[in-house]
Amino acid sequence: MTPEELRNLRTRFCYTVEEAAYWIGETTIAVWQSYEDGKKPVPKEMAERMEMINLWFQATVDSTAQHLRQEPQAALITLIWYDDINDWLDTGHKFLFLWRAYLQVCLKLKEMFNDFIVLHRFDKDAFAAWVKENHLQDEPVDDNLTLRWASETTLTTMAQTPTTTQ
């Protein structure tokens, strides 16, 4: 991977240099910057992780787009928007380095299929109250539970679609 390709992928998914260094490269900001500046070669493992993020993004967008094209009468698809990395991690997501890429998936799908995509901002307090109200405290907190919450509470969806992740 060239320094330009590394920088382009980082910026495509809106990672700051600091986030990319810590979350993707598991290194320091200075070392990451040296890869982007071409002072050091991009390590194979880092290039593979960036390519994996890129492939995950494309596969997620493509599979959702294919579903919507095959079933245009399908109900709205609710995607949860996580403003905060801690909310992302607290809801069962194990890979913090996918958080920003996930947000870019949401934006891309909203751009492509505005009439079929609902972006629902995650609200930790509202989610906790819903879990308690529905006696779901023993349920694992994962995508299934958070999407159920979002689908049942769509009246409080975001008034405006996010346009950036920074």
Side-chain angles (χ1 to χ4, degrees):
M1 175 173 288
T2 68
E4 295 78 22
E5 290 169 330
L6 180 68
R7 186 180 320 98
N8 289 343
L9 284 173
R10 176 183 61 77
T11 58
R12 177 181 186 191
F13 298 116
C14 297
Y15 294 103
T16 65
V17 171
E18 180 180 22
E19 291 167 346
Y22 297 146
W23 300 347
I24 298 167
E26 299 175 356
T27 191
T28 66
I29 296 169
V31 170
W32 182 278
Q33 198 65 59
S34 71
Y35 299 141
E36 285 193 10
D37 293 341
K39 294 176 183 169
K40 291 184 178 180
V42 177
K44 181 181 177 187
E45 303 80 27
M46 187 182 302
E48 288 172 350
R49 184 173 279 184
M50 290 300 285
E51 287 297 332
M52 187 275 307
I53 293 169
N54 193 39
L55 290 171
W56 176 84
F57 168 86
Q58 201 58 56
T60 304
V61 169
D62 289 348
S63 64
T64 305
Q66 181 180 10
H67 171 74
L68 285 171
R69 286 183 184 115
Q70 288 175 345
E71 299 184 38
Q73 75 284 359
L76 291 177
I77 293 178
T78 300
L79 300 173
I80 300 175
W81 184 268
Y82 296 93
D83 286 325
D84 185 89
I85 184 66
N86 294 312
D87 290 340
W88 167 262
L89 294 172
D90 290 346
T91 54
H93 297 95
K94 294 174 179 47
F95 303 111
L96 67 104
F97 63 86
L98 285 178
W99 172 55
R100 289 223 183 258
Y102 167 81
L103 295 178
Q104 293 307 306
V105 165
C106 292
L107 291 175
K108 182 65 175 176
L109 290 171
K110 185 69 175 168
E111 175 188 306
M112 292 171 67
F113 301 101
N114 185 54
D115 294 340
F116 298 101
I117 302 291
V118 173
L119 295 180
H120 192 104
R121 180 170 272 125
F122 184 78
D123 180 322
K124 184 185 288 190
D125 296 333
F127 176 71
W130 177 84
V131 166
K132 185 175 181 181
E133 178 183 306
N134 289 281
H135 310 288
L136 300 170
Q137 295 91 330
D138 294 332
E139 295 291 320
V141 177
D142 59 13
D143 277 342
N144 291 328
L145 192 63
T146 55
L147 285 171
R148 184 172 156 198
W149 162 76
S151 295
E152 291 181 15
T153 59
T154 54
L155 294 178
T156 59
T157 55
M158 296 168 26
Q160 184 177 10
T161 301
T163 57
T164 183
T165 58
Q166 293 188 7

